[in-house]
Amino acid sequence: MDGGIERDYMDIDEKVGILYSIRKLDKEEQVPLFDNTIAEIFEDPKPEYAIKLCSVFYDDVYFDEVMYGLIHAVEHLAESDDYSYLISLSICNMKEGRNWSKILLYGIMNVEDELKKYPQALGRLSDEQRCYIVGILKEIRAEDGKIFGDRINWILREANAE
């Protein structure tokens, strides 16, 4: 038996635990389990699941294309009026997925409505959380200043985070 029946009754923490345990995705047979577990989470999606899922991100993953599916899952789960705030909280849960957190920030900076909300979202974070994200924004500015420098400068100015 593959455990499918038992898996139907797992809570979000158990499902995230499965994803976390195989997050390096260093074996091809882990990919379907990873994808199926994400699909199961979407059987009863809740915005706060985005935060929990972000603990799974890992920068040195072998099958990185699978992580893009996780990016899309997080973005979809976070869709709400609090999108930028939920994504910010999620990023703070991505200590071993800093490069993936940049992708989520690029997404915010590329959507005008979310960009406008972002300084306020940063203001709702704790000082430690805000400092963590500001550090990532500054990295992005150093790496992609021509494209994102003005947007990041505006965010930091508006959030009094420079």
Side-chain angles (χ1 to χ4, degrees):
M1 178 182 237
D2 69 354
I5 294 172
E6 293 88 16
R7 288 172 53 89
D8 291 340
Y9 299 105
M10 283 191 278
D11 70 8
I12 184 65
D13 292 328
E14 291 170 311
K15 290 175 183 174
V16 169
I18 289 169
L19 294 171
Y20 189 88
S21 70
I22 60 171
R23 69 195 186 127
K24 292 182 182 180
L25 294 166
D26 51 3
K27 296 178 182 84
E28 192 169 347
E29 60 269 13
Q30 295 169 330
V31 173
L33 175 60
F34 198 89
D35 288 339
N36 291 337
T37 304
I38 290 173
E40 288 174 17
I41 290 168
F42 273 91
E43 292 172 8
D44 182 29
K46 294 180 173 61
E48 63 271 16
Y49 290 174
I51 298 167
K52 292 179 180 275
L53 273 177
C54 281
S55 67
V56 173
F57 283 101
Y58 186 74
D59 280 337
D60 195 23
V61 65
Y62 187 76
F63 290 100
D64 63 347
E65 66 275 4
V66 178
M67 283 293 169
Y68 284 102
L70 187 57
I71 287 278
H72 295 303
V74 167
E75 290 173 330
H76 184 71
L77 286 168
E79 285 178 354
S80 71
D81 289 339
D82 264 352
Y83 177 83
S84 294
Y85 179 65
L86 283 171
I87 293 296
S88 296
L89 290 174
S90 298
I91 288 170
C92 293
N93 206 20
M94 296 172 68
K95 301 297 184 191
E96 294 181 289
R98 194 170 180 94
N99 291 331
W100 295 105
S101 64
K102 291 176 185 179
I103 292 169
L104 289 169
L105 287 169
Y106 288 136
I108 287 172
M109 290 187 290
N110 280 322
V111 176
E112 187 175 345
D113 289 344
E114 293 306 324
L115 176 63
K116 289 178 181 176
K117 294 179 197 176
Y118 204 60
Q120 182 183 10
L122 284 178
R124 294 171 60 191
L125 300 173
S126 71
D127 288 343
E128 180 182 341
Q129 292 168 326
R130 190 172 33 263
C131 282
Y132 181 73
I133 291 178
V134 165
I136 297 171
L137 287 168
K138 288 179 178 179
E139 283 179 29
I140 293 170
R141 184 175 62 189
E143 295 165 2
D144 293 323
K146 281 187 174 187
I147 299 171
F148 293 101
D150 290 342
R151 292 176 224 181
I152 292 170
N153 290 337
W154 179 82
I155 290 168
L156 297 178
R157 216 174 23 256
E158 290 295 311
N160 294 319
E162 188 64 77

